[in-house]
Amino acid sequence: MSSQPSAVAPSAASGPTVFTLPNLLSFSRLLGVPLFLWLLLGPHADGWALAVLMLSGVTDWADGALARKLNQMSRLGALLDPVADRLYILATLVGLVLRHVIPLWLAVAIIGRDLVLACTLPALRRRGLTGLPVHYLGKAATFNLLYAFPLLLIGSQPGALGAVAKPIAWAFTIWGAGLYLWAGGLYLIQFRRVITGQAAV
């Protein structure tokens, strides 16, 4: 892995087609966000909420796999995928806080990290860049959190299954939150290198 991260510039090689199968899967993930939050906070239909969350995880894997297999990778798809991830994380954090499953400070720490990184985007765009390269640590953090959230919901239920799921859920949560904040620090270092001209563009 290079110590000089390169920024992500808009690619002319990206296909102009919007309605590809991978992009439609990403759009379906976005449409699932309000449905998931309503199921979690409205009727407290936790089983259906978990089903939506798990379906999102399957489509998250499928859209990337299909994009590579069908050679339908696009700039839109590259933008939709992390947006969907962030929205699911945000929706789940809000829902779990309002359901008193996780403490408010944990949600604030995770959401605050994304808000800090969002502040770097205008400076990058002024330099003709759409963002920074996705770090493997950030992917690992998102993976942990997206596994932690459904387990936290299961762990909040009474019974043997909830008792087994709860410690596993909190293990994923602690690791995921720690890696998420660490990855945020690495992105800020990448941002500084780009702004100061130390990183290749």
Side-chain angles (χ1 to χ4, degrees), residues 94-188:
V94 169
L96 292 179
V97 167
L98 293 178
R99 290 278 299 272
H100 307 290
V101 176
I102 62 172
L104 177 61
W105 65 262
L106 178 60
V108 169
I110 294 174
I111 295 171
R113 176 263 200 196
D114 283 341
L115 291 176
V116 168
L117 294 186
C119 293
T120 67
L121 291 177
L124 291 172
R125 286 172 180 163
R126 283 196 295 270
R127 288 161 173 78
L129 308 173
T130 60
L132 293 170
V134 176
H135 197 280
Y136 74 92
L137 200 62
K139 290 183 178 180
T142 301
F143 171 86
N144 273 273
L145 290 176
L146 291 179
Y147 267 83
F149 293 151
L151 287 170
L152 283 169
L153 195 56
I154 295 171
S156 68
Q157 306 301 314
L161 182 60
V164 171
K166 191 170 185 177
I168 301 172
W170 277 104
F172 272 107
T173 301
I174 292 168
W175 274 103
L179 291 175
Y180 205 67
L181 295 175
W182 186 5
L186 292 179
Y187 287 131
L188 289 177

Side-chain angles (χ1 to χ4, degrees), residues 60-120:
D60 185 23
W61 168 83
D63 62 11
L66 287 172
R68 291 186 293 271
K69 185 174 181 178
L70 301 176
N71 194 26
Q72 292 182 341
M73 291 177 287
S74 67
R75 183 165 55 185
L76 176 62
L79 291 173
L80 285 176
D81 191 50
V83 167
D85 284 343
R86 297 298 177 271
L87 286 177
Y88 268 104
I89 289 174
L90 176 61
T92 310
L93 287 170
V94 169
L96 292 179
V97 167
L98 293 178
R99 290 278 299 272
H100 307 290
V101 176
I102 62 172
L104 177 61
W105 65 262
L106 178 60
V108 169
I110 294 174
I111 295 171
R113 176 263 200 196
D114 283 341
L115 291 176
V116 168
L117 294 186
C119 293
T120 67

